[in-house]
Amino acid sequence: WGRLVTCGTYCGRIEFRRRRKKGKITMSIREEILLSYATQKSTQPGEIPLEEGWSKLRENGIRVLVEILQGNASEKRPFGNKGYVSLYTISYRMCSNAGLHDHSKALYDRTKLEMESVLQQYVVPELLRNEYTEGGGFTILRKFSHHWENHKVFVKWMQQLFRHLDNGYIANSSISTITSVGFKLFFEIVFSQFKDDIRDSLLNAIDNERDGTHVDPDLLRSCVEVFPIMGLCAKCNDLKNVQSLLNAQPDLSVYESEFETSMLKRTSEYYARKSRLWLETKSTPEYLRQTEKALTAEQKRVRQYLHTSSHHKLLRVCEEELLQKYKELLINNDQSGLKTLLADYKIDDLTRMFQLFRHVRHGLSSMALTTKKFVQSEGNKLLQERRDFVHTLKVEGKKTNSDDADMIDQLLHLHKKMSKLVVELFDSENQFQRALKEAFQDVMNADAASDISNVELLVIHADRILSGKLRLGEDEVETSLDHAIQLFQFLSDKDLYVELYRERLAKRLLSKKYTSIHAEKSMIVKMKTQQGAPFTTKLEGMVNDFTVGKDLDQTWIAYLTNARSENNVADTLRIEFSVQVLTQGFWPSQKQRELQLSCEMRDAKSTFDAWYKEKHSHRILSWVYTLGDVIVKGSLSGRTYNMTMTAFQAMALLEFNCRNGTMTFQDICGQISIDEPTGKRVLHSLACGKYRLLKKTGHDRTISCKSDRFQSNASFYSKLKRFLVQMSTLDADFKKKIDVEIQQQRGFSIDATIVRILKARKRLAHQELVGEVIHQVQNFAPDSKLIRQRIEGLIEREYLKRDESNPKFYVYLP
């Protein structure tokens, strides 16, 4: 601008008459006079004297600006274009002459003094008058904000008027810029004197706002803004302009020491009082709603007028006072705590509690622990209900129904409910997932009754799904299996589960009482996913056997049909005869029981043996009669019946086919070559069961081996023409047999694990070895006493030995 003016052409001298209106010169007249003076001085050689030039600058520039900012002038703008150009030209001309006529230093010093004078004369006195007024300090805040905003405008124009000083004299002298000087003066004269009053007034205003009093956020923002800016002004000397100061990265040292520390302390004290009051008058959900509302208000407060750096600090203080100090009291409140919310399934309150305590130190740990205790309590209630039910049945002399699935259904419902809660409300947080897992592990491994374990109940539940007893659709079967496998994962004795499951699977497949082979395979895949391929090898073999066996049976029936059409078989082979070939290693082991077959069945058996040997000469067939069934067609009392029964029952019944007299118990057992225990079960089912095909002497509900005599029941009648004659299992002690097999398999598993660990580690201490074994064994929970016994056994068999230098260590023997 100075260059433009000084290079301009003088167009002649113009005289103005002063126009006065109410004793004041208008801005247009003032600017015309200034323009004329500046133009004249620009075209004339020589300097502008210091006092003359400064008088023009002070009276027509600085004083005008001050009057407008103080509200004492009618104009809203201090300068128009002509006025600003004229003032700048005068200022520039006073500093543009080198040597003795360069007034740069004098102008710089006088500018500094003028800014200091304005603060001392106008700002300080007014703030002193309003320092102790009523209204919570709002008056001093309004005055302080007003003068701060004015000072920013004042410094902005001072920098604009003397910009050439920043670009020339100040840059070459390494001293503070006009902007830096202006704000540093405000820091030293105004801020340092009134910072405590301003801070206390701000804190009072914030507390009033928290109590519901309306405050002007713009006013508070303007006052709070000063603190971070003062930190920068106190240290920075090269500020270019006001905007660069406002946009610069602030120095928060003054903000933190002079305002934030006190603000956080007052916040802590405020919410300490509020928390005690809320605890006395509100329930946990109501307390948390108030807390949520308070935290939301504090976040809004930061957005409106606090510095963003205070956000996390302010929330931490609030959370410490409102949540951290009372987290155990709130979470474990007997009347309205977490257990009550879980029991009543209060979704909104549970979500709020989780969202609040997730930001509190160890807050989720306390919630997870309480959740675990709640699940354990609910599970133990179900177990106790089952115990009471079993006890009532025993007192009444009734038998326990092993198919009673109420407890498993309720456990599944509890797990489904809590899993949904953890996923949807608790954001699948690891601590809650672990708590849920540990709680259900405790419940599932605590048996509700001594005669039937939870493992067996879960196996029975899966059997009810897969056998079609529940009459579920395909999708429902799949969903139910998913739920069942979720409980399966909590069992410690998974090896016992798979053995019991194998028994049930065998019965379903051989009796053809299964929903679908696809469902059976799906369940096996789910267990395989959980435990690995070795866990389900036998189950997969059973299903594969059954699938292949169906094809083999169809081939055999086709062969038999063809042979009959060609009359290449004996008349005794006119019976329908199908065979299921099983691989011995996959299917549950069965005790071999002798049975004298009828001539028809002996011929069929011999024919199949010969046919199968031709196809598989390297295989040996071993017939298991207990797993098969026979359909006997009988005519009694003029009605014809199709009766399904076991081979043992059929052979016993056929002994009466051509006899009209009676037979003793011993005679029957001798004729069909069965032992006494088997004979008791067979004849009890035929003479004392639902369908009494035989008559007997003596008591009608028990079998006497010595005195009872049996004969055909010619008067038998049933409304059903097709029925199943049920018989109690011949392997009554199969549970004991499974337990023995399980203990043996566990010993082998522990042995293999110990050898594998020591082979890799070479030398290991006893406690470390035990810990590694417990960690690696997955299908059951090994007992440390059993592990010690297996270690001793391996030492005797020279798989390992004790370290000679330290007997507490074991060494692998290659």
Side-chain angles (χ1 to χ4, degrees):
W1 283 107
R3 193 174 184 183
L4 178 62
V5 173
T6 52
C7 295
T9 305
Y10 179 66
C11 299
R13 184 173 179 180
I14 303 175
E15 293 184 356
F16 295 91
R17 279 188 314 173
R18 293 191 175 184
R19 299 177 184 176
R20 296 182 179 273
K21 185 177 182 181
K22 295 182 181 181
K24 293 186 178 180
I25 301 175
T26 62
M27 183 177 70
S28 59
I29 296 174
R30 182 178 65 246
E31 291 193 351
E32 289 292 346
I33 295 172
L34 273 175
L35 180 61
S36 174
Y37 176 82
T39 304
Q40 178 184 356
K41 290 297 181 181
S42 298
T43 57
Q44 294 177 355
E47 63 166 330
I48 299 177
L50 176 61
E51 295 300 332
E52 179 185 326
W54 175 250
S55 177
K56 293 289 184 182
L57 293 172
R58 187 172 185 274
E59 295 302 325
N60 296 285
I62 298 174
R63 283 297 149 195
V64 171
L65 177 60
V66 171
E67 288 297 314
I68 290 176
L69 292 176
Q70 291 301 316
N72 297 327
S74 59
E75 295 94 345
K76 294 184 179 179
R77 290 194 310 155
F79 321 112
N81 291 336
K82 293 179 181 179
Y84 171 73
V85 170
S86 301
L87 290 170
Y88 186 86
T89 301
I90 295 169
S91 171
Y92 180 83
R93 288 285 297 166
M94 292 176 69
C95 304
S96 60
N97 297 321
L100 296 175
H101 303 296
D102 185 357
H103 302 302
S104 296
K105 183 178 185 307
L107 275 183
Y108 178 81
D109 294 338
R110 293 191 181 201
T111 300
K112 180 178 179 181
L113 288 172
E114 193 65 27
M115 288 191 289
E116 181 178 353
S117 175
V118 169
L119 293 174
Q120 293 285 10
Q121 183 178 352
Y122 295 101
V123 178
V124 173
E126 191 166 355
L127 290 178
L128 285 173
R129 285 196 302 272
N130 296 285
E131 188 173 4
Y132 300 105
T133 58
E134 296 180 357
F138 284 105
T139 303
I140 193 172
L141 291 180
R142 281 192 287 270
K143 291 297 182 181
F144 182 79
S145 174
H146 171 73
H147 288 300
W148 167 246
E149 297 299 329
N150 281 354
H151 188 70
K152 287 191 289 185
V153 175
F154 182 58
V155 173
K156 172 186 174 182
W157 278 109
M158 294 296 284
Q159 190 272 337
Q160 292 290 331
L161 291 174
F162 300 102
R163 182 188 299 175
H164 59 86
L165 290 177
D166 282 344
N167 297 334
Y169 171 71
I170 293 173
N172 296 328
S173 303
S174 300
I175 56 178
S176 298
T177 61
I178 299 296
T179 302
S180 299
V181 169
F183 284 106
K184 191 172 293 185
L185 287 171
F186 189 90
F187 174 79
E188 295 171 351
I189 297 171
V190 180
F191 181 78
S192 297
Q193 183 174 353
F194 296 99
K195 61 184 179 183
D196 293 340
D197 299 322
I198 300 302
R199 179 193 62 228
D200 293 341
S201 298
L202 282 170
L203 297 181
N204 290 334
I206 292 173
D207 280 350
N208 289 339
E209 185 188 30
R210 287 168 177 156
D211 288 330
T213 303
H214 175 72
V215 298
D216 182 3
D218 294 332
L219 171 63
L220 299 187
R221 181 175 62 251
S222 175
C223 295
V224 171
E225 174 192 61
V226 178
F227 288 86
I229 291 179
M230 289 299 100
L232 189 62
C233 320
K235 300 178 181 178
C236 191
N237 297 321
D238 58 352
L239 297 172
K240 298 298 182 184
N241 50 52
V242 174
Q243 195 58 44
S244 67
L245 171 66
L246 299 177
N247 295 337
Q249 184 69 26
D251 184 322
L252 298 177
S253 57
V254 173
Y255 174 80
E256 292 172 350
S257 61
E258 300 298 340
F259 175 76
E260 187 182 61
T261 302
S262 299
M263 184 268 293
L264 295 177
K265 183 180 178 182
R266 283 281 289 271
T267 301
S268 177
E269 294 170 352
Y270 178 86
Y271 284 114
R273 295 191 302 271
K274 287 294 182 181
S275 61
R276 289 192 294 269
L277 177 63
W278 294 346
L279 283 173
E280 293 174 358
T281 59
K282 299 182 183 299
S283 64
T284 294
E286 292 171 338
Y287 182 99
L288 294 179
R289 280 194 287 272
Q290 285 295 122
T291 299
E292 183 181 50
K293 183 178 178 181
L295 292 175
T296 302
E298 295 301 328
Q299 291 175 321
K300 181 180 179 182
R301 201 159 282 124
V302 173
R303 292 194 300 270
Q304 286 185 327
Y305 51 79
L306 296 178
H307 194 270
T308 55
S309 65
S310 297
H311 181 266
H312 293 292
K313 300 176 187 177
L314 183 61
L315 292 184
R316 292 296 84 80
V317 168
C318 297
E319 289 165 354
E320 177 70 26
E321 290 297 335
L322 295 172
L323 298 171
Q324 181 67 44
K325 286 185 177 180
Y326 306 107
K327 67 174 185 291
E328 298 297 336
L329 183 60
L330 292 168
I331 292 172
N332 298 315
N333 188 303
D334 293 335
Q335 283 74 36
S336 59
L338 179 56
K339 285 186 178 180
T340 303
L341 299 181
L342 290 171
D344 297 339
Y345 209 68
K346 298 289 187 179
I347 295 177
D348 293 338
D349 293 329
L350 288 169
T351 303
R352 183 180 296 106
M353 178 178 283
F354 173 76
Q355 293 298 337
L356 290 174
F357 280 106
R358 77 185 308 177
H359 301 295
V360 174
R361 186 175 65 258
H362 305 308
L364 292 187
S365 299
S366 299
M367 283 187 66
L369 180 60
T370 303
T371 302
K372 176 183 175 181
K373 291 179 179 178
F374 171 79
V375 175
Q376 287 174 328
S377 175
E378 293 297 303
N380 289 331
K381 285 180 185 178
L382 298 178
L383 295 178
Q384 189 59 46
E385 288 176 5
R386 172 73 181 178
R387 294 188 189 104
D388 295 340
F389 175 72
V390 171
H391 177 72
T392 302
L393 291 179
K394 287 183 178 179
V395 171
E396 295 175 355
K398 299 179 182 179
K399 291 184 178 180
T400 305
N401 183 9
S402 61
D403 285 345
D404 182 15
D406 285 349
M407 190 187 79
I408 295 298
D409 289 338
Q410 290 172 336
L411 285 173
L412 285 169
H413 176 73
L414 177 63
H415 182 266
K416 181 180 178 181
K417 170 185 171 183
M418 294 306 299
S419 296
K420 181 181 178 181
L421 185 145
V422 168
V423 172
E424 295 182 0
L425 305 188
F426 295 162
D427 201 20
S428 298
E429 178 67 36
N430 288 335
Q431 296 183 65
F432 290 94
Q433 290 184 342
R434 184 166 57 252
L436 186 63
K437 177 182 177 181
E438 292 174 356
F440 268 95
Q441 284 176 339
D442 292 342
V443 173
M444 290 302 297
N445 293 297
D447 294 334
S450 58
D451 56 340
I452 182 168
S453 65
N454 291 351
V455 175
E456 189 171 356
L457 285 174
L458 190 56
V459 171
I460 293 171
H461 177 76
D463 181 69
R464 294 173 72 241
I465 297 171
L466 293 167
S467 63
K469 292 181 180 179
L470 299 183
R471 301 181 183 277
L472 302 175
E474 186 176 343
D475 293 338
E476 293 175 315
V477 168
E478 193 68 22
T479 302
S480 298
L481 292 179
D482 286 333
H483 293 159
I485 210 69
Q486 288 173 350
L487 289 188
F488 161 79
Q489 66 181 326
F490 302 124
L491 296 174
S492 296
D493 298 333
K494 293 183 177 66
D495 53 348
L496 175 59
Y497 178 93
V498 76
E499 288 300 321
L500 295 173
Y501 185 89
R502 201 154 62 101
E503 291 280 347
R504 294 275 176 169
L505 175 61
K507 291 181 181 179
R508 287 197 300 274
L509 295 179
L510 296 178
S511 62
K512 297 180 176 58
K513 293 181 179 179
Y514 55 87
T515 303
S516 68
I517 290 296
H518 172 74
E520 296 289 354
K521 290 181 178 180
S522 175
M523 183 60 175
I524 293 172
V525 168
K526 295 179 193 301
M527 288 190 282
K528 184 177 182 179
T529 303
Q530 283 284 337
Q531 296 300 117
F535 186 77
T536 57
T537 300
K538 293 181 179 181
L539 300 178
E540 291 174 314
M542 291 171 66
V543 174
N544 184 61
D545 262 5
F546 183 74
T547 305
V548 174
K550 289 173 68 176
D551 297 335
L552 180 68
D553 189 48
Q554 290 176 359
T555 306
W556 156 251
I557 292 174
Y559 163 78
L560 198 59
T561 303
N562 184 57
R564 285 171 178 165
S565 64
E566 296 178 358
N567 295 319
N568 290 333
V569 295
D571 291 339
T572 54
L573 271 183
R574 299 301 174 183
I575 64 172
E576 296 295 331
F577 184 75
S578 62
V579 180
Q580 177 71 53
V581 180
L582 312 176
T583 303
Q584 189 172 10
F586 295 147
W587 296 75
S589 60
Q590 298 290 331
K591 181 180 178 181
Q592 289 294 328
R593 298 179 184 274
E594 292 294 328
L595 178 64
Q596 182 66 37
L597 299 176
S598 65
C599 59
E600 297 91 347
M601 294 184 70
R602 284 198 302 271
D603 290 343
K605 174 186 172 185
S606 300
T607 303
F608 184 84
D609 280 338
W611 175 80
Y612 189 79
K613 191 172 183 180
E614 289 180 2
K615 289 183 169 294
H616 306 284
S617 58
H618 61 287
R619 296 183 182 178
I620 299 175
L621 292 178
S622 177
W623 292 81
V624 184
Y625 304 118
T626 55
L627 299 180
D629 54 36
V630 179
I631 299 177
V632 177
K633 187 175 182 179
S635 179
L636 297 168
S637 301
R639 287 172 63 89
T640 302
Y641 301 98
N642 288 336
M643 301 168 285
T644 302
M645 58 188 69
T646 66
F648 291 89
Q649 291 171 300
M651 295 306 102
L653 193 61
L654 288 176
E655 289 297 316
F656 296 91
N657 196 29
C658 300
R659 295 192 185 192
N660 294 323
T662 62
M663 293 182 68
T664 65
F665 177 87
Q666 300 297 338
D667 291 340
I668 297 172
C669 292
Q671 287 293 328
I672 61 177
S673 301
I674 59 176
D675 56 24
E676 184 177 305
T678 304
K680 280 187 175 183
R681 285 177 168 77
V682 171
L683 293 174
H684 186 279
S685 66
L686 295 173
C688 305
K690 180 178 181 181
Y691 302 100
R692 299 189 176 186
L693 300 171
L694 298 180
K695 290 183 177 180
K696 66 179 286 294
T697 59
H699 198 281
D700 62 349
R701 291 190 177 183
T702 60
I703 300 295
S704 174
C705 303
K706 296 180 180 180
S707 60
D708 284 351
R709 299 185 68 85
F710 302 86
Q711 65 179 15
S712 175
N713 184 9
S715 61
F716 173 82
Y717 175 80
S718 174
K719 293 181 180 179
L720 301 176
K721 288 192 173 184
R722 296 176 181 270
F723 55 83
L724 170 66
V725 183
Q726 293 185 343
M727 184 182 75
S728 60
T729 178
L730 296 177
D731 291 328
D733 58 345
F734 81 97
K735 288 186 180 180
K736 293 182 179 179
K737 179 190 71 174
I738 288 178
D739 287 340
V740 172
E741 292 178 356
I742 288 293
Q743 293 303 321
Q744 187 179 20
Q745 291 173 7
R746 287 181 177 181
F748 295 153
S749 177
I750 292 174
D751 288 348
T753 305
I754 292 171
V755 172
R756 183 171 61 251
I757 293 170
L758 277 176
K759 188 174 182 180
R761 305 284 289 273
K762 305 302 181 186
R763 182 177 180 272
L764 207 60
H766 175 79
Q767 291 300 330
E768 291 183 76
L769 179 59
V770 171
E772 283 289 333
V773 172
I774 293 174
H775 177 71
Q776 291 192 21
V777 173
Q778 296 181 349
N779 295 339
F780 61 95
D783 181 56
S784 57
K785 183 179 179 181
L786 178 60
I787 296 174
R788 181 185 290 275
Q789 292 174 355
R790 304 310 298 187
I791 290 174
E792 296 297 333
L794 290 172
I795 291 175
E796 291 178 4
R797 286 177 282 165
E798 298 183 351
Y799 282 93
L800 57 141
K801 69 174 183 178
R802 296 185 185 276
D803 193 336
E804 295 177 357
S805 60
N806 189 344
K808 293 183 179 180
F809 282 77
Y810 301 109
V811 179
Y812 174 71
L813 293 177

